[in-house]
Amino acid sequence: MTATVTQPAPRASRRETSRQRREMWLLMLPAMVPVLLFSVGPLLYGIGLAFTDARNTRVHQTSFVGLENFTRMLADEQFWSSFQIGAIWSVTVTALQFLAALGLALLLNMNLRFRSVARVLAVVPWAMPPVVIGLMWKLVYHPDAGILNDLLGTDVNWLADFSLALPAIIVVGVWTGMPQTTVVLLAGLQNVPKELYEAVEVDGAGRWRRFWNITLPQLRPVIVAITSLDFVWNFNQFGLVYVLTQGGPGGRTRLPMLFAYEEAFRYRAAGYASMLGLAMAIVVLAVLGLYLWRQMREAR
Amino acid sequence: MRIRSALAVAAIVTLAAACGGGGGGGETPSGDGQPVKLDFLSLAWQKESVAANKEIVAEWNKSHPDIQVTYVQGSWDNVNDQLVTQFAGGTAPDVIHNDSPALAGFASDGYLLDLTAKLPAELKSDIPQAAWDTVTFMGGEGEQGVYGVPFLQESQVIIANKKLLDASGVRVPTPDNPWTWDEFSEAAKKMTKDGTYGVAWAMKSPVNRTLNLALNFGGTFFQTGADGNTTVKVGPEEREVLQRIHDQLYKDKSADPAALGQGTADPLPAFFQGKFAMLPTGVYLRQQVTEQAPDGFEWVTLPAPKGVTAEQGAVSQTLSIAQDSEHPDQAMQFIAYFLNAENQAKLAKGDWLLPTSQKAESDPAITTKENGWDVATASAKNLVVAPFLKVNGYDEWRSKVATPVLQEYYANKISLDDAAKRLVEEGNQVLERYHR
């Protein structure tokens, strides 16, 4: 008897939830269409291209070639050396960005005079597009008219020197990415409950201990989020390096994105370039996944 | 379920739209009474040259109300990347300014129109065959065709500081009796003293320079086998110029090492300060020298040194028509007007380069002794087709292999043998992709 009473109830609620779900989809549709149209579509198209011999030419018949691009990529030393440069670039820039931004954020979080002005100034580079930043720094590094050689009294062609070019663009990369990292860290700092500091102050903890035992652990989720985002952004950096060095001298600053761009738009190998893009996306996701997973596990 | 299938449809539509994006584009064909509209992508960048280009376009538009040309400004820095994208997207301009090395690729991609049948006789006969050879390539279907009209050519000369040249007491070379490479190196050594260097090689982009000079000793860098496939070769002929420049830098120490990583125009401030006496460079740099030289600075143009021959590889600036242009005949009419002898002289003067037009060559404006025009124009007779022009995949060889290898070689980081080995081995790997 109880069964006959209770049975209709779940059916009704299931109908209810399915209707709710349908409504949810309908409401999401306007937001989904651009995502599908401009992100998912091209992404799938790119993945598809990676398994063809597509070329940016008028006379070429594109055909499916399976894993040919993949095996070619594995044997492409030039690509892997560019990948190595990309790894050095993104790890160094992310790490330095984080350290510099943390310092700046701590400074801006203190009770300084003109604090609000300083905060605004710190965000200024954020407002500039990478190409403008590139052009500006090109002038800074200019061998004859550059302000850097003027200040140091040297005569160095920073962006054309085999061993200095990469460090030179890393400095620019750090400078470019500092504002958003600083802002996020600053927001994180302001969310640290004051009571915690008061509590350790009662215990007589010094400045360093306060930072190490309160600030850093409290900031941890913010740090994890911003460094992983920074890593992705830096790995995918293109405009800045394209303007500064175009990958030179002798390929010493040819980041993998630049390499793929050249494959597609200079040598017309669209299919192969798609495979390179796909490989980069997978590597970034893997590195990121590993990092986030470890952080989560430690946090628990 | 229904919504999911709707989403699937949306995804498929998206994909189809993305895949089909390649074709189409362009303006609709003009109806009766409407003027034909052409886009002209120009890469002129020197002030006088931009002015000359715009002036000729304006004159054309005035005298041809039914064919209106829009001047579109491009840049040598990224024109090829831009064209690859525009061609693929179907939005390429009708008339395209470029240079002959780039045409080989676009011609074999099928993006450029074969002009053979369209060239007016007058234009064809005014430009010598040697210049036409620089724009004759295999097209997309494997047939020979003419894919551009060559109009400005660059040759190499030496720009020298007159005071330092005279003080050294060396023989001043003339177009009829140029220095040999030995004499050139000797002269550079004589001019090297008291912190002044004899010569400066700006080798930021060393490949075209080196390959063009290598022809002095018969160095071609490429050979085509019986199977029609091209491979790289670096034999004794190719090594001559490489070794000689390297010797000036590191054995004679007569070449300024600071200039090595610089672009073509970068060493000029040091040149004006007398830090070195001679600057081997393209004829067009004379424009910047005249414009920027401080008052009282005297300079002369010397012919390039000669090896076994005085031959130099010729690269031409060109005008081409896009295969997908809707008005190719009108575009050809415009090109024929744009490149008539009178206009070529104007353009050559504006860009400080040499015209291909034989009638323009005798124009007094570009044979005068002033600013070295006589020496520059005389060097035109030494221009031959650069062998690398015909090599499919040259561009990739240049940027992936030759540029880093030559930069490292000139920076004394690797030996000549290593450089030769890498140019050949890594180079052949690159070229293999382009074999038919």
Side-chain angles (χ1 to χ4, degrees), chain A residues 58 72 261 263 267-268, chain B residues 81 109 324 399-400 433:
Chain A
R58 196 170 181 274
R72 193 172 122 206
Y261 170 84
E263 279 297 329
Y267 316 131
R268 283 96 152 153
Chain B
D81 300 8
D109 288 349
D324 290 331
S399 54
K400 274 195 185 163
R433 274 167 75 176

Side-chain angles (χ1 to χ4, degrees), chain A residues 17-121:
Chain A
T17 49
S18 97
R19 221 178 93 195
Q20 264 180 1
R21 192 171 296 160
R22 197 179 301 167
E23 275 167 6
M24 181 192 77
W25 279 111
L26 264 174
L27 286 172
M28 274 171 67
L29 201 63
M32 295 285 282
V33 167
V35 171
L36 287 171
L37 217 61
F38 300 117
S39 287
V40 179
L43 187 72
L44 291 176
Y45 178 53
I47 294 176
L49 265 188
F51 298 96
T52 67
D53 63 349
R55 290 182 62 79
N56 282 326
T57 71
R58 196 170 181 274
V59 288
H60 182 75
Q61 290 294 327
T62 301
S63 54
F64 181 78
V65 292
L67 290 176
E68 198 184 291
N69 286 330
F70 183 69
T71 49
R72 193 172 122 206
M73 179 183 76
L74 291 184
D76 191 343
E77 280 166 38
Q78 300 245 2
F79 175 66
W80 294 112
S81 73
S82 137
F83 208 91
Q84 218 175 336
I85 294 168
I88 296 173
W89 153 268
S90 42
V91 171
T92 330
V93 172
T94 309
L96 292 177
Q97 242 168 25
F98 168 66
L99 290 177
L102 184 62
L104 192 61
L106 287 171
L107 195 70
L108 291 177
N109 198 33
M110 289 198 303
N111 237 335
L112 298 169
R113 224 192 295 181
F114 305 121
R115 187 170 67 169
S116 46
V117 180
R119 280 184 183 174
V120 172
L121 281 181

